């Protein structure tokens, strides 16, 4: 009798285990289908005040190497008797590439008016320093892989197919960068080694009228074009060292978010944090300026790496 009871209990255990496995794998299949459907569903990025993320490469070692290269090139120019006087402004031709995964604005197909408004924001930001931007071409490409993979695996393919012009022409790509990235750019010093990747990439909903509030007034592009012109973040290097290699931007320990008036993260250094500077991480409505030192750096970087190249 005990033997039959033991076999009955064993049978119940096996039945429960089998049922669990059926439920488990059925659930997994359902989850996979849901995930697959979710990938096809159009989702807008949710942006919060702590989410301004710039994907531009700011590795300290590579930045130090870039600065050494800059000094070496300037030295060679002087040694060879080249004109080292910096250009102090000019008109930059812009190739604006709209990458989308459908015909609607929510799918990345931003309107011509939104692009015009974005160009106006750029021109207003740089006008005081003699630079202006002239959009001469707008391309529109429907490609879901490029749209969602423009910060990562599809960047090279996208730029290889679309990039136009030379070192002193600006290519802007609007798409849907991954990992919460609002945008990224290449530095002038990177052009020689990788010209095809040169340019600026922005989240499509960061343009004026987009949905990425509080970063939807167009200053993601301003910030990234600042990198393209040779500027680093105001908080580069923290409170010590060379910082952002600009003398008139106060040292800043870490990125500022929102618009924290009076913030002073480097108390042993002069000046409050430069929260209104385009190269910080504050809200678009908070940032409105470059400094004279940043302008001088942009001029020298543009002259060394882009002008006439």
């Amino acid at each position: 009798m005990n033997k039959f009871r033991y076999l009955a209990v064993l049978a119940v255990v096996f039945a429960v285990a089998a049922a669990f496995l059926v439920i488990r794998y059925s659930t997994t299949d359902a989850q996979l289908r849901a995930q697959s459907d979710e990938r096809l569903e159009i989702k807008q990025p949710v942006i919060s005040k702590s989410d301004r993320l710039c994907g531009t490469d700011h590795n300290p070692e590579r930045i130090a190497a870039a600065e050494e290269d800059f000094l070496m090139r300037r030295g060679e120019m002087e040694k060879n008797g080249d004109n080292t006087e910096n250009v102090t402004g000019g008109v930059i031709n812009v190739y604006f590439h709209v990458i989308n995964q459908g015909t609607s604005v929510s799918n990345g197909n931003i309107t011509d008016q939104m692009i015009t408004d974005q160009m106006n924001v750029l021109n207003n930001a740089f006008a005081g320093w003699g630079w202006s931007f002239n959009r001469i071409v707008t391309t529109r490409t429907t490609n879901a892989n490029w749209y969602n993979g423009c910060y990562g695996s599809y960047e090279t393919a996208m730029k290889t197919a679309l990039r136009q012009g030379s070192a002193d022409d600006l290519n802007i790509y609007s798409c849907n960068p991954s990992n919460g990235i609002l945008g990224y750019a290449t530095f002038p010093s990177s052009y020689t080694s990788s010209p095809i990747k040169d340019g600026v990439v922005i989240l499509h909903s960061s343009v004026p009228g987009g949905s990425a509030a509080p970063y939807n007034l167009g200053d993601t592009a301003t910030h990234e074009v600042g990198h393209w012109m040779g500027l680093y973040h105001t908080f580069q290097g923290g409170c010590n060292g060379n910082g952002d290699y600009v003398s008139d931007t106060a040292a800043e320990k870490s990125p500022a978010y929102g618009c924290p008036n009076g913030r002073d993260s480097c108390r042993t250094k002069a000046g409050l944090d430069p929260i209104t500077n385009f190269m910080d991480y504050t809200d678009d409505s908070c940032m409105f300026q470059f400094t004279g030192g940043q302008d001088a750096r942009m001029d020298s970087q543009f002259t060394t790496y882009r002008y006439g190249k």
Side-chain angles (χ1 to χ4, degrees), residues 11 13 92 144 202 213 270 305 308:
V13 169
I92 297 174
I202 59 170
Y305 291 106

Side-chain angles (χ1 to χ4, degrees), residues 53-59 62-63 151 181-187 190 199-201 220 223-228 231-233 236 279 281:
L53 292 176
C54 171
T56 302
D57 182 8
H58 281 82
N59 178 278
R62 283 190 283 274
I63 284 180
Y151 179 64
I181 297 297
L182 280 174
Y184 66 100
T186 56
F187 293 116
S190 302
V200 163
V201 176
T220 289
H223 178 103
E224 300 304 339
V225 172
H227 288 318
W228 186 80
L231 299 182
Y232 299 130
H233 290 142
Q236 181 70 35
M279 302 313 294
Y281 271 11

Side-chain angles (χ1 to χ4, degrees), residues 210-290:
S211 61
Y215 310 120
N216 61 341
L217 301 181
D219 282 324
T220 289
T222 306
H223 178 103
E224 300 304 339
V225 172
H227 288 318
W228 186 80
M229 295 285 285
L231 299 182
Y232 299 130
H233 290 142
T234 51
F235 49 86
Q236 181 70 35
C239 299
N240 303 308
N242 293 311
D244 63 352
Y245 292 86
V246 175
S247 61
D248 63 354
T249 55
E252 188 175 23
K253 184 176 182 180
S254 59
Y257 298 100
C259 196
N261 291 315
R263 183 177 188 253
D264 188 6
S265 60
C266 295
R267 295 184 180 275
T268 61
K269 300 292 180 68
L272 298 176
D273 291 358
I275 65 167
T276 60
N277 196 282
F278 288 121
M279 302 313 294
D280 207 336
Y281 271 11
T282 48
D283 293 354
D284 280 11
S285 60
C286 186
M287 52 176 59
F288 60 82
Q289 65 179 337
F290 293 114

Side-chain angles (χ1 to χ4, degrees), residues 28-297:
T28 300
D29 289 340
Q31 289 173 337
L32 288 173
R33 286 193 298 273
Q35 290 171 1
S36 177
D37 291 339
E38 185 179 52
R39 283 192 291 270
L40 296 175
E41 183 182 349
I42 300 163
K43 288 183 174 292
Q44 291 301 307
V46 178
I47 306 295
S48 72
K49 287 190 175 182
S50 62
D51 282 337
R52 183 187 281 280
L53 292 176
C54 171
T56 302
D57 182 8
H58 281 82
N59 178 278
E61 293 182 358
R62 283 190 283 274
I63 284 180
E67 291 305 307
E68 287 183 14
D69 181 77
F70 172 66
L71 293 175
M72 179 190 71
R73 285 175 183 263
R74 297 294 288 192
E76 289 178 349
M77 290 170 67
E78 293 178 2
K79 181 179 178 181
N80 295 333
D82 297 337
N83 183 10
T84 57
E85 184 177 350
N86 293 324
V87 294
T88 57
V91 179
I92 297 174
N93 289 331
V94 176
Y95 300 87
F96 204 111
H97 307 289
V98 178
I99 319 300
N100 61 73
Q101 63 175 6
T103 58
S104 68
V105 170
S106 62
N107 277 330
N109 196 33
I110 57 177
T111 66
D112 285 337
Q113 185 59 55
M114 295 169 94
I115 298 172
T116 296
D117 292 343
Q118 177 64 80
M119 296 304 301
N120 289 338
V121 168
L122 281 178
N123 278 310
N124 289 336
F126 288 85
W129 308 112
W131 295 100
S132 63
F133 300 87
N134 178 37
R135 176 169 57 113
I136 59 173
V137 169
T138 300
T139 68
R140 294 182 181 273
T141 304
T142 301
N143 186 314
N145 288 331
W146 292 2
Y147 174 73
N148 293 298
C150 55
Y151 179 64
S153 56
Y154 288 95
E155 176 196 1
T156 301
M158 177 185 74
K159 291 181 175 179
T160 299
L162 298 178
R163 193 187 184 284
Q164 300 182 48
S166 56
D168 53 4
D169 296 315
L170 172 61
N171 283 256
I172 298 178
Y173 307 83
S174 67
C175 53
N176 186 39
S178 56
N179 300 323
I181 297 297
L182 280 174
Y184 66 100
T186 56
F187 293 116
S189 57
S190 302
Y191 182 82
T192 302
S193 62
S194 187
I196 200 64
K197 288 191 174 182
D198 186 66
V200 163
V201 176
I202 59 170
L203 175 67
H204 69 92
S205 54
S206 71
V207 300
S211 61
Y215 310 120
N216 61 341
L217 301 181
D219 282 324
T220 289
T222 306
H223 178 103
E224 300 304 339
V225 172
H227 288 318
W228 186 80
M229 295 285 285
L231 299 182
Y232 299 130
H233 290 142
T234 51
F235 49 86
Q236 181 70 35
C239 299
N240 303 308
N242 293 311
D244 63 352
Y245 292 86
V246 175
S247 61
D248 63 354
T249 55
E252 188 175 23
K253 184 176 182 180
S254 59
Y257 298 100
C259 196
N261 291 315
R263 183 177 188 253
D264 188 6
S265 60
C266 295
R267 295 184 180 275
T268 61
K269 300 292 180 68
L272 298 176
D273 291 358
I275 65 167
T276 60
N277 196 282
F278 288 121
M279 302 313 294
D280 207 336
Y281 271 11
T282 48
D283 293 354
D284 280 11
S285 60
C286 186
M287 52 176 59
F288 60 82
Q289 65 179 337
F290 293 114
T291 67
Q294 287 176 315
D295 172 53
R297 179 175 172 84

Side-chain angles (χ1 to χ4, degrees), residues 13-29:
V13 169
F14 279 118
V16 170
F20 171 78
L21 289 173
V22 169
I23 294 172
R24 179 179 184 274
Y25 284 103
S26 296
T27 302
T28 300
D29 289 340

